[in-house]
Amino acid sequence: MSESKKSSIEFSQNSALESERLFHVKQYDVIIIGGGHAGIEASLSCARMGLQTALLTLDPSKIGEMSCNPSIGGVGKGQLVKELDALGGEMGRTADATGIQFKRLNTRKGSAVQSSRCQSDKKQYALKMQSVVGGQERLSVLSCEVKEIRTKAGAVESVVIESGGVRETLETRAVVVTAGTFMRSLMHCGEVKGEGGRFGEKSSVGLSDSLRDLGFAVQRLKTGTPPRLIAESIDFSKMEIQEGDVPPRRFSFWDTRIELPQVPCYLTYSNTRVHGAIRENLSRSPLYSGQIQGIGPRYCPSIEDKVVKFPQKERHPLFFEPEALDSNWIYPNGISTSLPADVQEAFVRAIPGCAEVKFARYGYAVEYDCIDPRGLSKSFESLQVRGLFTAGQVNGTSGYEEAAAQGLFAGINAALFAKGEAPFLLSRAESYLGVLIDDLTHHGVTEPYRMFTSRAEFRLSLREDNADLRLSPYARALGLLSDADFERFQARQERIDRSKQILAKKILKPTPQIDAILASLGSNPLSQPQFLAQVLKRPEVGLSDLFSMLPDPFPVELDADTAETLEIEVKYEGYIELQREQIERLRKLVGTRIPETLDFRKVAGLSFELRDKLTKLRPGSLADASAIPGVTPAALTAVLFHIRQKEGASA
Amino acid sequence: MPIDRKLLETHDTIFALATGALPCAVAIVRVSGPSAFEIARKHFRGGGNWEPQRAMAYGSYVSSTGEELDRILLLSFVAPHSFTGEHVIEIQCHGSIAVVSAIEQTLVEHGCRAAQAGEFSYRAFQNGKLGATDLENLGDLFKARDTADLGRLQARKDAALQVEIHAVREELIRLQAILDTAVDFSDEYGNVVEAARLPMAQSAERCAAIAARYELFRQGAQSPRLVLTGCPNAGKSSLFNALLCRYRAIVHETAGTTRDAIEEDLELEGRRWKLVDTAGLREGESLMERQGIEQSYDFLSAASFWVLVVDGTRGFTESERDLLARFGGKPHLIVWNKKDLPGFLPPPELDDTVVAVSALGGLGLEELGQILKTRIRQLGSATGVLPSQTQASRLRVSASLLSDLQSDLDRGVPPEVLGEKNRAILRSLDSVVGDVGVEEVLDRVFAEFCIGK
Ligand SMILES: Cc1cc2nc3c(=O)[nH]c(=O)nc-3n(C[C@H](O)[C@H](O)[C@H](O)COP(=O)(O)OP(=O)(O)OC[C@H]3O[C@@H](n4cnc5c(N)ncnc54)[C@H](O)[C@@H]3O)c2cc1C
Ligand SMILES: Nc1nc2c(ncn2[C@@H]2O[C@H](COP(=O)(O)OP(=O)(O)OP(=O)(O)O)[C@@H](O)[C@H]2O)c(=O)[nH]1
Ligand SMILES: [Mg+2]
């Protein structure tokens, strides 16, 4: 390969560039395909775990691009970001560094489902990610399109890339595919359609065929984005101003700071005029004309969908969000659409404050290929090809947070695979990430999958505030947490433990002052001395209220996050305790693996129906088996019994 | 739902009726788990303080308010020396439905849960209590499960019951959808949790009604019920007598003549029915009148078929319309009475069957008899009654948990906690209403709420 050719496919910011040029390295431990939110986390985790890693992406200047809304987090998603952060991921830190409005959702007193969300300066966000990726040791970034993944004896061997019309083969031990919305992607704006994975970017052709050849079932999904509007052309005085929280609360458990200026968003509503303009032109929507075949998410409907499905609603809320501090682009959240440009102009102009609006870009929908995630193991490795991992939107999900969390997870497992180590698994009892993995691999998807707290049966225990307590020890063991961060973690854990002990042991004696405070909170007086924890269990009493009743200051210094953890753990102790026991049980079940050789037809005590079902579905552990409808405790007992008997016989 | 809650909960306390169908001479309720002894200490009275060391004790089982529910024999087995390897008590009581359900109620108050088929053995196995020779017995467990399935199949064939069970299921899914929306889409639907009140109340009422009918069914000679209802003076008692072909109920021109319901056996289509005459539905103010109406509601809940008797010279009243709205889902027909009188209005055109008769003059009774018979034949073996005691007891317990949920809501318990509680109710009802998964709830969320900013 000629010298000039080579430099054209390298990303100039990359520090690994030098070694590349000198030694002509074409061999990597792990190759990541795609520089989206999944690919970033995957490549960083591999490189940080000590592996020579290459990140191959269509356009390196688009690394970390926010394809849609300029925000991170939300209910269910915030939990994923915190988990990612606790596991040593990058998203939380970058969100803090580039956030321009922070908001906590579900903040009722002592709520266990609080979630963080922020508006991001999307330019800064991508730049920050690019500098982190560029500065990462052992990580090379190459600009190219991956055309094919090659295997040998059922394992990944190399990838075929194309750059500037030239094809080349790169050898690797493991591959993580994070191609997002780009595979055979088709963009629609009214009757106009064109190939491309994101506005102004090309589509990726060949990769999904390659994945199909490697045994994945490929399906077609769809998502959409609203137009972008020019700020100066909008009359914000006709809208309601929405400020963020003061003070803003960070995502990251580690040492980060919110430094960018904080700015407001604006709330307005659609109206019957807007809806009328849309209704009149429905026949020109690719969604309704049949031009779009892919299935879109119901939780993120286009405005045309909302108007059709909820005809009785006279208005829908619309949030106008700034895209970046130094940009005059506004993201109008709530009007995702693929109607033709002229219709978009017509209906947007009917929105209060938008009479004179100018468009920076029209909204569009994108259809793309993704794989059926039921073809993946619980480590996100293909069931057919060893060393082949997939993560992010290609797995049928949607959302930056879902993508990033999967990316980290698949990256960790690709790294472990390349090192010849056992996979890292996460159960749904300990994390939202585990819920996501379980749901995808068990049930597949029929629409782009998004996280909701209702998917997590242990949501009272799987909270944002304790994500580090749940997961950071894993990150440390995997080598993804620095000494400094780990010390920080340990100190926090210690503060919590000590505070809990004090709350459980220290007694509050009734005094007139205390009763007065209690009365002001609408709480009954103390009739007798009580443990602090007992008082805190009263629904009306918060931790700060309790502290105001103490004669001496509370002996442990608590930051807001730690105080929150403490308050929730005490208030929900009963539930959390119960869930903890359940989690223990689940862990045991997950631990009980069903040998691949087990013949379910030989298990005594199983009904014929169940024998058939289990033979077909081949659950890998008792936990998986129990997830199958119709599998009763008695059936599990029979299976467990059979396993033990076999073990006994062979021992 | 992809998690094994059945096994996850193996650390709570479970109970089951260890003997056959009720009523019977002696019933055994077996309780296994950490709170077994606490229950015995709290509810057993006799021969001084009860301690688990007293392997066998005779005395009273009392309710949480201290009333005696029954005289019982209490056996106790201290862990690990029990069948399950956990603390176990066995309550041997009289095999009446009332006694057993009252005892079960106290267990539920302690957080116990009805065991699933095979759960005792599962625990035994987990605790190393089940040896190789016991493997054979597992077969029996499956038989037990099959009987339960049979029960469910039977219920599935009963159209009237299905309508109601479906309604309960829908209500509970809706409730879950509201509670989940309150959490997952709080930024769009801030105060939606208030909307949970109605489905809470309605599902509680429905669960209670189905369970109540089971009780009535058991207590009565297991005959399906045909209930006559309507406003005072509509001619219910007259029709009652006419159908029985004898003067059984007092007929009088004073409105409110019938105060307490009366019932008589009636042979219809080769089957014995209970024909029930009820007090007139009066928008009464007095306590007694109100009780009469309440009682009519109870009877209608328990009815397999009901007849609305309308005074044809007056037409529909408000309370009759209410009734149709409330109980229109179950098999019924309308009798437009007093056809012989001059002021008789033409019967309205309705989807419901309306038969014009004169209960006193004997007009149209022949036709009514025919229609009744056809309708009853259409019901088939359907009775609107649950096939099993366990199912009835789960519904009863759920009804009370749903009422608790309402007071939780009043106390400001947050939606995520209410959601967890309702999910537990749904789980405990899966043998009655069928499994409800996350996806089904989400479907409802998206169908009902316009999600997506
Ligand atoms: C129009 C649109 C609307 C969206 N709307 C929403 C929304 O409303 N809500 C929401 O939550 N999410 C939305 N998303 C999704 C969100 O952007 C994604 O979920 C998220 O970005 C997925 O991250 P990812 O890492 O999986 O993929 P992406 O961010 O899509 O990144 C994929 C990367 O792979 C690279 N790539 C692809 N193929 C190849 C190849 N063959 N060789 C080399 N590199 C390749 C691309 O260059 C790109 O860098 C939308 C996306 C789009 C495009
Ligand atoms: N003419 C005529 N009178 C009727 C007929 N049916 C009932 N009545 C009269 O209506 C009055 C009320 O009849 P009941 O049968 O007692 O009515 P009910 O619905 O049982 O009334 P309550 O028990 O008071 O709620 C009596 O005076 C009956 O004689 C009918 O078909 N024709
Ligand atoms: Mg009467």
Side-chain angles (χ1 to χ4, degrees):
Chain A
M1 195 192 304
S2 78
E3 198 59 36
S4 64
K5 171 88 262 318
K6 194 116 196 36
S7 59
S8 78
I9 63 166
E10 275 167 359
F11 184 32
S12 56
Q13 283 190 21
N14 185 12
S15 66
L17 181 119
E18 285 310 310
S19 62
E20 189 97 10
R21 187 162 294 160
L22 290 175
F23 305 116
H24 249 271
V25 178
K26 284 205 221 151
Q27 251 181 354
Y28 296 95
D29 294 321
V30 186
I31 282 180
I32 315 293
I33 306 174
H37 305 279
I40 292 172
E41 302 288 352
S43 48
L44 288 174
S45 57
C46 284
R48 287 170 182 167
M49 285 171 72
L51 295 143
Q52 286 303 329
T53 309
L55 172 57
L56 316 188
T57 191
L58 292 173
D59 179 355
S61 72
K62 293 277 162 43
I63 287 177
E65 174 88 359
M66 295 178 146
S67 317
C68 197
N69 53 331
S71 77
I72 299 282
V75 183
K77 288 169 173 271
Q79 279 86 341
L80 281 173
V81 179
K82 292 269 186 176
E83 289 186 358
L84 183 62
D85 186 64
L87 283 168
E90 208 54 45
M91 183 172 254
R93 301 178 207 249
T94 305
D96 287 346
T98 61
I100 52 177
Q101 180 186 99
F102 288 76
K103 215 165 200 165
R104 279 290 185 91
L105 306 165
N106 288 336
T107 49
R108 277 166 278 98
K109 187 177 266 176
S111 168
V113 286
Q114 300 196 25
S115 309
S116 310
R117 184 178 192 273
C118 77
Q119 294 299 137
S120 299
D121 179 319
K122 68 183 275 183
K123 289 187 183 174
Q124 292 291 318
Y125 186 93
L127 287 177
K128 178 80 202 308
M129 279 302 190
Q130 288 169 19
S131 80
V132 173
V133 167
Q136 176 63 45
E137 265 183 278
R138 290 179 292 275
L139 177 58
S140 323
V141 179
L142 309 183
S143 163
C144 61
E145 178 178 351
V146 176
K147 288 297 203 187
E148 192 187 342
I149 297 164
R150 294 216 168 132
T151 61
K152 188 170 164 189
V156 161
E157 189 192 34
S158 61
V159 302
V160 179
I161 60 169
E162 190 183 278
S163 179
V166 178
R167 288 204 175 202
E168 194 184 351
T169 303
L170 300 178
E171 284 178 17
T172 180
R173 275 186 272 178
V175 165
V176 186
V177 181
T178 63
T181 52
F182 285 73
M183 295 196 303
R184 282 208 316 125
S185 49
L186 207 53
M187 295 188 292
H188 302 260
C189 181
E191 299 88 349
V192 184
K193 59 179 170 181
E195 285 183 11
R198 198 157 51 196
F199 188 88
E201 292 180 62
K202 56 179 275 189
S203 146
S204 147
V205 190
L207 189 54
S208 57
D209 289 337
S210 178
L211 291 173
R212 191 183 284 118
D213 292 343
L214 294 175
F216 280 115
V218 172
Q219 63 190 111
R220 202 113 175 108
L221 295 176
K222 170 244 150 186
T223 186
T225 196
R228 307 296 194 271
L229 309 174
I230 300 288
E232 291 83 1
S233 67
I234 299 171
D235 181 358
F236 289 107
S237 70
K238 298 230 160 64
M239 303 182 181
E240 221 172 276
I241 192 161
Q242 298 222 305
E243 304 279 1
D245 294 341
V246 182
R249 300 268 293 270
R250 298 177 303 135
F251 273 99
S252 184
F253 291 105
W254 320 118
D255 192 13
T256 60
R257 255 172 287 266
I258 295 171
E259 280 174 333
L260 292 187
Q262 303 294 294
V263 297
C265 294
Y266 297 87
L267 169 64
T268 183
Y269 294 90
S270 66
N271 53 36
T272 48
R273 276 208 306 138
V274 174
H275 300 178
I278 292 168
R279 221 171 267 130
E280 275 165 32
N281 290 290
L282 274 182
S283 59
R284 298 179 58 201
S285 154
L287 275 179
Y288 289 91
S289 67
Q291 184 179 316
I292 290 183
Q293 312 270 296
I295 299 164
R298 286 173 300 173
Y299 46 83
C300 205
S302 61
I303 184 78
E304 46 270 37
D305 261 346
K306 290 190 213 173
V307 169
V308 172
K309 295 197 177 127
F310 294 90
Q312 73 284 6
K313 274 203 116 166
E314 287 181 1
R315 61 175 210 176
H316 298 282
L318 310 174
F319 297 83
F320 280 50
E321 305 168 353
E323 288 219 324
L325 290 177
D326 69 348
S327 157
N328 60 351
W329 285 28
I330 295 291
Y331 178 94
N333 200 341
I335 53 168
S336 168
T337 182
S338 55
L339 283 162
D342 60 305
V343 182
Q344 294 191 24
E345 295 205 5
F347 84 73
V348 174
R349 295 230 158 86
I351 297 170
C354 295
E356 307 290 327
V357 81
K358 290 205 169 58
F359 279 59
R361 175 178 290 171
Y362 295 104
Y364 62 96
V366 59
E367 272 186 292
Y368 53 94
D369 280 353
C370 69
I371 59 134
D372 178 347
R374 284 174 298 186
L376 296 173
S377 76
K378 295 248 162 131
S379 63
F380 276 175
E381 186 181 11
S382 152
L383 293 172
Q384 312 286 333
V385 179
R386 270 170 294 125
L388 176 57
F389 298 80
T390 63
Q393 196 120 354
V394 277
N395 280 353
T397 63
S398 143
Y400 312 140
E401 304 78 359
E402 285 83 352
Q406 290 176 67
L408 174 95
F409 180 73
I412 291 172
N413 277 308
L416 291 170
F417 175 86
K419 289 182 179 186
E421 290 176 18
F424 168 58
L425 301 176
L426 277 172
S427 94
R428 62 189 301 125
E430 62 192 337
S431 60
Y432 274 84
L433 185 47
V435 170
L436 189 144
I437 295 161
D438 241 28
D439 285 354
L440 290 180
T441 55
H442 277 151
H443 305 297
V445 300
T446 47
E447 69 182 321
Y449 178 104
R450 175 208 196 276
M451 188 47 76
F452 302 112
T453 69
S454 58
R455 297 194 193 272
E457 43 284 270
F458 301 122
R459 66 180 170 190
L460 300 183
S461 307
L462 307 186
R463 304 185 312 271
E464 277 198 354
D465 69 273
N466 67 1
D468 59 335
L469 303 178
R470 290 184 278 122
L471 300 171
S472 291
Y474 292 134
R476 180 63 178 174
L478 289 164
L480 289 171
L481 213 58
S482 69
D483 290 344
D485 286 348
F486 190 60
E487 269 164 34
R488 201 182 158 96
F489 166 74
Q490 282 179 312
R492 187 169 116 85
Q493 197 169 37
E494 206 179 279
R495 280 200 303 278
I496 293 177
D497 290 347
R498 205 146 63 84
S499 307
K500 270 195 195 165
Q501 273 177 13
I502 296 170
L503 289 173
K505 295 216 180 101
K506 213 172 142 86
I507 286 172
L508 194 64
K509 295 207 188 83
T511 65
Q513 292 96 309
I514 289 175
D515 284 347
I517 297 175
L518 284 170
S520 74
L521 296 167
S523 193
N524 294 328
L526 284 184
S527 47
Q528 59 195 51
Q530 281 196 329
F531 292 113
L532 298 186
Q534 272 174 301
V535 181
L536 185 55
K537 278 210 168 80
R538 299 182 175 196
E540 328 65 70
V541 179
L543 193 66
S544 54
D545 304 324
L546 179 69
F547 287 176
S548 70
M549 299 175 211
L550 300 182
D552 310 312
F554 194 71
V556 184
E557 211 177 309
L558 299 172
D559 56 281
D561 292 326
T562 306
E564 187 181 311
T565 304
L566 205 57
E567 181 166 339
I568 296 171
E569 298 246 320
V570 172
K571 282 207 185 295
Y572 292 99
E573 193 179 87
Y575 285 101
I576 291 170
E577 205 39 57
L578 198 78
Q579 294 202 333
R580 194 164 296 153
E581 278 167 11
Q582 297 178 351
I583 289 166
E584 246 343 281
R585 295 275 149 177
L586 183 69
R587 204 165 276 151
K588 269 193 204 147
L589 283 180
V590 173
T592 312
R593 311 221 49 91
I594 300 179
E596 276 173 38
T597 51
L598 186 132
D599 184 351
F600 286 102
R601 285 165 305 186
K602 299 219 173 90
V603 177
L606 283 186
S607 69
F608 284 110
E609 192 195 338
L610 274 185
R611 285 178 199 192
D612 269 3
K613 226 183 215 172
L614 291 168
T615 307
K616 207 180 291 159
L617 298 173
R618 287 229 61 86
S621 70
L622 279 193
D624 293 347
S626 67
I628 298 170
V631 173
T632 56
L636 284 176
T637 311
V639 174
L640 186 57
F641 199 87
H642 190 87
I643 299 172
R644 296 265 164 86
Q645 247 184 345
K646 287 262 145 154
E647 279 169 359
S650 61
Chain B
M1 210 168 69
I3 193 147
D4 177 36
R5 53 213 198 229
K6 303 152 202 144
L7 287 173
L8 288 176
E9 288 164 18
T10 57
H11 232 59
D12 56 357
T13 302
I14 53 173
F15 65 88
L17 191 60
T19 42
L22 300 176
C24 56
V26 177
I28 302 180
V29 179
R30 190 178 282 151
V31 184
S32 176
S35 34
F37 293 160
E38 178 195 322
I39 289 164
R41 282 194 195 99
K42 178 121 191 260
H43 294 280
F44 183 78
R45 300 270 184 283
N49 283 345
W50 182 87
E51 277 311 319
Q53 286 67 32
R54 289 170 64 188
M56 196 182 277
Y58 186 71
S60 323
Y61 193 94
V62 298
S63 72
S64 50
T65 51
E67 329 153 39
E68 175 177 292
L69 298 175
D70 196 15
R71 302 287 292 170
I72 63 155
L73 185 65
L74 183 67
L75 306 186
S76 54
F77 307 86
V78 182
H81 307 292
S82 69
F83 169 60
T84 55
E86 303 176 320
H87 291 331
V88 168
I89 56 170
E90 276 186 16
I91 303 163
Q92 301 193 1
C93 58
H94 290 99
S96 95
I97 295 166
V99 167
V100 172
S101 30
I103 291 177
E104 284 178 352
Q105 184 69 39
T106 63
L107 298 176
V108 170
E109 285 163 13
H110 280 274
C112 301
R113 155 176 82 74
Q116 313 201 18
E119 222 176 343
F120 280 88
S121 299
Y122 181 75
R123 291 190 175 194
F125 185 81
Q126 286 260 303
N127 295 319
K129 283 294 189 171
L130 219 54
T133 46
D134 299 310
L135 191 58
E136 297 294 297
N137 298 334
L138 283 174
D140 293 342
L141 294 173
F142 288 103
K143 269 189 227 131
R145 192 177 128 69
D146 286 346
T147 350
D149 284 349
L150 270 183
R152 212 176 318 161
L153 276 180
Q154 210 172 309
R156 229 173 261 158
K157 282 198 216 124
D158 185 333
L161 182 58
Q162 269 325 294
V163 169
E164 282 178 277
I165 286 180
H166 185 72
V168 169
R169 183 189 158 89
E170 289 294 297
E171 210 95 62
L172 289 172
I173 293 176
R174 198 176 123 72
L175 175 55
Q176 189 68 46
I178 293 171
L179 296 173
D180 284 350
T181 300
V183 176
D184 277 327
F185 306 101
S186 54
D187 42 346
E188 294 164 72
Y189 286 93
N191 291 321
V192 69
V193 68
E194 279 306 309
R197 262 177 225 288
L198 193 65
M200 270 179 200
Q202 282 180 344
S203 53
E205 194 176 307
R206 282 186 210 272
C207 287
I210 304 175
R213 187 165 58 236
Y214 178 85
E215 221 82 311
L216 281 172
F217 171 73
R218 282 292 190 179
Q219 282 157 12
Q222 315 218 337
S223 319
R225 292 161 172 263
L226 200 166
V227 175
L228 303 180
T229 186
C231 284
N233 257 342
K236 300 177 296 294
S237 301
S238 307
L239 185 62
F240 182 76
N241 292 340
L243 288 171
L244 290 174
C245 301
R246 66 196 158 99
Y247 192 82
R248 168 68 179 81
I250 301 163
V251 170
H252 199 271
E253 64 199 19
T254 327
T257 304
T258 309
R259 286 291 167 106
D260 290 315
I262 18 176
E263 42 183 71
E264 279 295 326
D265 289 341
L266 175 71
E267 210 42 46
L268 264 178
E269 283 299 280
R271 207 142 150 221
R272 196 150 70 167
W273 284 71
K274 284 266 180 233
L275 183 65
V276 187
D277 181 21
T278 60
L281 291 164
R282 191 146 51 158
E283 282 107 44
E285 291 310 311
S286 86
L287 190 61
M288 208 159 74
E289 280 159 340
R290 215 129 20 119
Q291 275 169 349
I293 289 171
E294 293 278 307
Q295 199 190 25
S296 301
Y297 283 175
D298 288 347
F299 275 105
L300 283 180
S301 300
S304 296
F305 195 96
W306 60 286
V307 173
L308 175 63
V309 185
V310 180
D311 185 335
T313 62
R314 190 177 49 188
F316 276 128
T317 65
E318 197 57 29
S319 41
E320 285 165 345
R321 284 184 210 282
D322 272 0
L323 213 60
L324 281 170
R326 219 175 175 54
F327 295 99
K330 71 161 58 181
H332 65 281
L333 59 79
I334 299 169
V335 163
W336 207 254
N337 191 29
K338 307 196 184 176
K339 194 176 176 180
D340 56 314
L341 286 182
F344 186 74
L345 306 161
E349 293 277 332
L350 293 177
D351 287 340
D352 286 320
T353 314
V354 186
V355 193
V357 305
S358 161
L360 273 193
L363 283 172
L365 287 178
E366 187 88 350
E367 190 198 347
L368 174 64
Q370 288 307 328
I371 293 176
L372 256 184
K373 281 180 187 168
T374 332
R375 292 294 302 278
I376 278 164
R377 234 178 291 127
Q378 281 165 359
L379 284 181
S381 62
T383 54
V385 172
L386 286 170
S388 90
Q389 162 75 21
T390 328
Q391 294 192 333
S393 122
R394 294 222 169 126
L395 278 167
R396 197 167 34 245
V397 168
S398 301
S400 92
L401 293 176
L402 283 161
S403 328
D404 291 353
L405 217 52
Q406 295 176 60
S407 38
D408 282 350
L409 179 60
D410 293 334
R411 279 180 27 230
V413 173
E416 65 269 22
V417 175
L418 299 175
E420 296 314 290
K421 290 188 170 183
N422 192 52
R423 236 183 268 283
I425 295 175
L426 273 167
R427 286 202 292 267
S428 78
L429 279 180
D430 65 0
S431 71
V432 185
V433 304
D435 246 332
V436 172
V438 175
E439 286 305 321
E440 206 171 339
V441 177
L442 283 174
D443 285 348
R444 187 65 57 94
V445 169
F446 299 132
E448 200 141 317
F449 300 99
C450 184
I451 299 298
K453 310 199 276 193

